[in-house]
Amino acid sequence: MSFSPTPVGPPGSRGVQEQREKWERKRTRTVRALVQTEQKYCKQLQLVNTYFVEILKAKGTLRQDIRESIFSSIPSVYSVNQTLLVRLENGDLGRGFDDFCPHLHHYVTYVDNIQNANKVLALQVKKNKAFRRFKKLQESRPEFLNCKLEDLLPLPIQRIQQYKHFLRDLSENTSPDYPEFQPLSRSVKLISEVSQRIQDNARSHDNHLQLRRVQRLLKGRKTRVVAPGRWYLREGWLRTVPPKGAEVKPKMFFLFSDVLLQAKPCHPLHPTNGDKFAGQRVYPLKDCTVDKVFGHTQSQGGLLSLTFPKAKLLLMSSDQEDINDWYYSLSSAVGQLKSRNTVVHQRDDLVRRPLRCFVEDQKNQTTPSTPPTTPGRKRVAPPPPQTPSRPTAPAEAEGSASKRMKLTGGPAESESARSSCVIL
């Protein structure tokens, strides 16, 4: 075997050529993986569309509204991806995704409905005997490979995440001079937006489950935890430092994005509420100030001071790491609320009346013969009152920074009992 001598080129040309070959190898592997996974994905979509959507529609086992609640835009997604698969198998990636991205609204519809689809499906499996038998029969087909319908429904959401990674790898390993570079770059941006929507929906759903869990932990319905725009942050036991040397008692605290809820455990021998908590106070975080009294060094525990417009709260813990986590969480929540309020004030300043209009109004007031407004000049209306986009406190906490809540079926607490929890 003979080898031809390596041609002599300018310095660094061999390194550039090796890098291009490396990019091309990565690109080839990515394209191959994309095509293979797309073929498998389309087969799975076909199973759902053929053996569930179309047969259920023909047999009438489920009402149309229930069927659409479960499968949503699966038929449209399947049709769009069939076209995409043909382009990918022919090697036309750029044009294929260019034609695919305008139909991403079918995926958006599916993403927004997936939680409701899982809920309706579980309900029908539980209560609809005919659908339960039909579902079991279809899943026993050899084409399904022991897959359940519950395993196939999340596939479009998972595929969007895969598209994002595939397209990023392709665009990173494609030369900007290549014809497919621009279409791939546009597709990465559009698919990343849908991927972000999926992540936001998942976070919102998890947060809603946390709020409902905390609501079930509370006795009665006096404290409304589930509220629009509220986010669950953390919970845990802390000891409150009472005034006048009273006994230090542990309390359960639930921290949300806009309020801090203080609760105490119900009596363990209570027949129905033995494992629940009784809400005591709700502290809005809007005008709160958080300070660390001690616990800055590696000592045993620490003490936090929370100052509200009409109350002050001292929280203590013997765990150094725990008190530091609480300090960080409280400071972050208060800081985000204040930053939003600052943005609102800046908007308010932007819509203030111009100085020229104010000077002319002053002249009109000093001259009684002139009309109050100059003809032809447009008066600038004062800015409307800003309404917060998120509730700053639940209904029982409005009107005061901290409000004593009456426990269900019990007498009103005395003044000394109130002062044992919060220093006013």
Side-chain angles (χ1 to χ4, degrees):
M1 181 181 292
S2 61
F3 295 93
S4 59
T6 305
V8 179
S13 60
R14 184 172 181 178
V16 172
Q17 183 64 27
E18 289 178 353
Q19 184 64 40
R20 289 179 177 175
E21 293 175 354
K22 183 179 180 180
W23 287 345
E24 187 62 30
R25 288 194 298 268
K26 287 183 178 181
R27 174 184 166 82
T28 303
R29 288 196 301 266
T30 304
V31 171
R32 182 168 58 249
L34 174 60
V35 174
Q36 292 175 353
T37 54
E38 186 68 19
Q39 292 171 344
K40 180 180 178 181
Y41 173 58
C42 286
K43 289 180 180 179
Q44 292 170 325
L45 288 180
Q46 184 182 14
L47 293 177
V48 178
N49 187 64
T50 302
Y51 293 105
F52 278 97
V53 178
E54 294 182 356
I55 296 181
L56 284 173
K57 183 179 180 180
K59 294 183 64 175
T61 307
L62 294 178
R63 296 200 318 263
Q64 180 180 355
D65 58 334
I66 297 178
R67 189 176 67 250
E68 292 177 352
S69 297
I70 296 176
F71 300 102
S72 185
S73 56
I74 277 282
S76 301
V77 169
Y78 173 57
S79 176
V80 169
N81 278 89
Q82 277 187 310
T83 305
L84 175 63
L85 177 60
V86 173
R87 293 290 175 82
L88 295 182
E89 290 176 338
N90 293 333
D92 195 358
L93 277 68
R95 187 177 176 185
F97 278 102
D98 248 0
D99 295 340
F100 172 77
C101 286
H103 300 282
L104 281 174
H105 61 275
H106 297 306
Y107 275 88
V108 173
T109 302
Y110 193 85
V111 165
D112 293 341
N113 183 69
I114 187 61
Q115 301 300 338
N116 180 59
N118 293 330
K119 183 178 178 180
V120 174
L121 175 61
L123 183 63
Q124 292 299 313
V125 171
K126 181 179 179 180
K127 295 188 175 182
N128 192 331
K129 186 177 180 180
F131 175 71
R132 185 166 60 248
R133 288 200 305 263
F134 172 80
K135 175 177 176 292
K136 186 176 181 179
L137 177 64
Q138 299 299 83
E139 291 172 347
S140 63
R141 291 176 177 271
E143 298 92 338
F144 279 79
L145 301 176
N146 296 324
C147 287
K148 304 293 183 182
L149 180 60
E150 292 84 353
D151 302 327
L152 298 175
L153 287 182
L155 289 179
I157 296 178
Q158 299 170 4
R159 190 57 179 167
I160 285 292
Q161 306 290 359
Q162 295 172 0
Y163 283 148
K164 183 180 70 172
H165 296 299
F166 279 133
L167 291 176
R168 281 183 177 177
D169 291 343
L170 286 174
S171 60
E172 289 174 358
N173 294 285
T174 301
S175 173
D177 301 332
Y178 202 72
E180 291 184 344
F181 179 78
Q182 292 298 333
L184 291 176
S185 300
R186 290 193 298 266
S187 302
V188 169
K189 182 179 179 181
L190 295 175
I191 291 180
S192 296
E193 292 176 357
V194 181
S195 175
Q196 184 62 45
R197 191 185 187 106
I198 294 174
Q199 297 177 12
D200 293 342
N201 288 356
R203 288 179 60 247
S204 179
H205 178 69
D206 294 341
N207 176 70
H208 182 70
L209 294 179
Q210 289 282 17
L211 294 180
R212 292 182 59 186
R213 179 187 63 83
V214 175
Q215 186 72 72
R216 289 193 296 266
L217 285 176
L218 297 178
K219 167 187 172 183
R221 299 180 179 272
K222 290 286 185 179
T223 308
R224 187 169 62 91
V225 173
V226 181
R230 176 171 294 165
W231 289 85
Y232 168 86
L233 299 181
R234 64 173 298 156
E235 64 186 65
W237 291 93
L238 292 172
R239 288 179 291 173
T240 59
V241 180
K244 301 180 182 178
E247 182 182 359
V248 177
K249 294 183 179 180
K251 303 288 183 181
M252 173 61 77
F253 286 90
F254 299 94
L255 178 61
F256 305 99
S257 58
D258 58 340
V259 294
L260 176 67
L261 171 62
Q262 174 184 326
K264 68 176 183 179
C266 298
H267 197 282
L269 299 181
H270 194 281
T272 58
N273 299 324
D275 57 345
K276 295 187 177 182
F277 296 90
Q280 290 184 299
R281 293 187 179 223
V282 178
Y283 298 92
L285 299 178
K286 181 179 179 181
D287 298 319
C288 175
T289 302
V290 184
D291 296 310
K292 186 183 289 188
V293 180
F294 67 85
H296 301 81
T297 59
Q298 296 296 329
S299 58
Q300 294 295 327
L303 179 68
L304 299 181
S305 172
L306 276 67
T307 305
F308 303 93
K310 297 183 180 180
K312 187 173 183 179
L313 187 61
L314 295 177
L315 303 178
M316 183 171 60
S317 174
S318 57
D319 189 340
Q320 176 73 26
E321 183 178 357
D322 184 52
I323 203 68
N324 288 337
D325 292 342
W326 272 103
Y327 176 73
Y328 174 77
S329 300
L330 286 165
S331 301
S332 299
V334 173
Q336 290 181 6
L337 281 176
K338 290 183 177 179
S339 64
R340 285 199 294 269
N341 293 335
T342 302
V343 171
V344 170
H345 291 317
Q346 289 176 353
R347 288 181 179 177
D348 193 21
D349 294 339
L350 291 175
V351 297
R352 287 179 181 173
R353 301 178 59 192
L355 180 61
R356 184 172 57 183
C357 283
F358 177 79
V359 172
E360 291 178 358
D361 286 349
Q362 292 294 331
K363 292 181 179 180
N364 294 333
Q365 292 177 4
T366 56
T367 307
S369 60
T370 58
T373 56
T374 305
R377 180 175 299 280
K378 184 178 179 181
R379 289 293 302 273
V380 180
Q386 297 287 338
T387 57
S389 59
R390 295 183 179 179
T392 56
E396 63 273 12
E398 293 180 357
S400 61
S402 61
K403 182 177 180 181
R404 171 67 58 179
M405 294 182 297
K406 298 180 181 179
L407 301 181
T408 311
E413 297 186 26
S414 61
E415 186 69 20
S416 61
R418 288 202 300 267
S419 63
S420 63
C421 297
V422 178
I423 304 174
L424 298 178

